[in-house]
Amino acid sequence: MKTGPESPVRAPSAVPVDDAVLPFEVDALDVRGRLTRLGPALDDILTKHDYPAPVGKLLGEAIVLTTLLGSALKFEGRALKLIEPLCDIGDKRIAAMDAAGIDFQMLSLTSPGTEQLDAAEAMALARESNDAVAAAVKKNPKRFAGYGANCWGLTASDGPKGYLAHAPDDRDDDGTMTPTGALASFPYTPEASMAAFQHFYHDLGDRIWGIYGPLDAFNESLDWISPIYMGLNQAPIAVMIENYRTGLLWRLFISNPEIQPMLDKIGFQRVPRSR
């Protein structure tokens, strides 16, 4: 098949074609691989935007390559051999660190694909990843630091490079923890928030805790602690802890006569609270 700038761009299929990634192997030729065929999924992405033909072609190729790479993670082979050492956070990792002259490492063990799972399964998988990191840090606290069941919270805050919107992605996650991210979540994650609170207060103690509560942020991988208290992040901690305890601020807000008609007009509906 000839490819190049002169190759026509595939038009949306008039007849639905199944989206599929199919592994194959030809024993006689010692050849194995995967056949990737994207029909409706690719068409749906490309037809939502009025891309110029060359851009659409490049984007389509990128999507197919991404799908092919992603599918490789689900099968045994080279991908599995790569994943195993990356996920090891025990003695093998420490030996590799020693060989490379690395004294300290920040761990962030994510679980790819959780957005494809139902909520309960995704939460269980994420919790297992966090627990694994927490166990590794507890076992080797002088070699590892990382996110775990008791150390979490990503949101906009002070950081080693200034004020940034920290988020759980490769671009915006530099290892900076912001206590308000966990402590202002008490109404939604009371057990996890309490675990973080106890870690911040008892374990990290006066390193990050002072007269006004927690300092704005810290980054253990860079041995950095914010020198400031930020009211913008302190306020939600107090407000949301009280909302968890009594719902006071929520009740005061909703008691304003303007609020309920506004919520009705935009289609909000009251959901019974379960405890």
Side-chain angles (χ1 to χ4, degrees):
M1 176 179 176
K2 185 178 180 182
T3 61
E6 68 278 15
S7 299
V9 178
R10 177 185 179 278
S13 175
V15 178
V17 179
D18 289 339
D19 300 313
V21 179
L22 304 174
F24 68 88
E25 184 172 0
V26 181
D27 291 333
L29 300 177
D30 193 25
V31 173
R32 69 173 63 182
R34 288 176 185 80
L35 172 66
T36 302
R37 183 176 65 184
L38 297 181
L42 188 59
D43 291 341
D44 184 56
I45 295 171
L46 296 180
T47 55
K48 286 182 177 178
H49 306 277
D50 188 20
Y51 293 116
V55 175
K57 180 176 183 295
L58 288 173
L59 180 59
E61 292 175 352
I63 293 171
V64 172
L65 287 173
T66 301
T67 304
L68 186 60
L69 179 61
S71 69
L73 300 177
K74 302 177 182 178
F75 299 94
E76 295 184 358
R78 292 182 180 178
L80 183 60
K81 292 179 181 179
L82 177 63
I83 289 173
E84 287 177 346
L86 288 177
C87 290
D88 174 73
I89 47 179
D91 295 337
K92 291 182 180 179
R93 172 71 68 90
I94 291 176
M97 290 166 60
D98 290 339
I102 299 173
D103 296 324
F104 192 78
Q105 195 171 64
M106 185 74 177
L107 301 178
S108 178
L109 182 60
T110 59
S111 299
T114 53
E115 68 278 359
Q116 301 175 19
L117 306 175
D118 63 64
E121 189 174 358
M123 289 176 62
L125 184 57
R127 186 178 295 110
E128 288 177 9
S129 297
N130 283 341
D131 288 347
V133 170
V137 173
K138 184 176 181 179
K139 182 179 179 182
N140 297 287
K142 295 184 178 180
R143 305 304 302 272
F144 295 136
Y147 314 151
N150 63 352
C151 188
W152 58 280
L154 296 179
T155 188
S157 71
D158 190 20
K161 299 178 182 178
Y163 188 83
L164 294 174
H166 306 291
D169 56 58
D170 292 338
R171 186 190 68 177
D172 301 308
D173 182 4
D174 63 357
T176 298
M177 293 283 93
T178 307
T180 191
L183 303 184
S185 299
F186 256 102
Y188 316 110
T189 57
E191 294 181 359
S193 294
M194 180 57 75
F197 174 73
Q198 292 175 340
H199 173 65
F200 297 152
Y201 187 78
H202 292 295
D203 299 335
L204 300 180
D206 58 7
R207 292 175 57 201
I208 70 162
W209 208 275
I211 189 172
Y212 300 116
L215 291 163
D216 194 50
F218 61 92
N219 189 315
E220 291 186 280
S221 62
L222 299 178
D223 195 23
W224 175 89
I225 298 174
S226 174
I228 65 170
Y229 299 98
M230 186 178 294
L232 181 66
N233 285 336
Q234 295 287 87
I237 296 175
V239 168
M240 296 306 279
I241 287 177
E242 186 59 31
N243 277 333
Y244 169 65
R245 293 178 65 249
T246 66
L248 174 63
L249 282 302
W250 282 334
R251 287 188 285 106
L252 290 175
F253 175 79
I254 205 67
S255 67
N256 284 282
E258 302 88 354
I259 301 303
Q260 192 58 53
M262 178 269 294
L263 295 176
D264 293 338
K265 288 182 179 180
I266 62 177
F268 273 47
Q269 296 181 352
R270 183 181 295 275
V271 176
R273 185 180 182 184
S274 59
R275 294 287 288 185

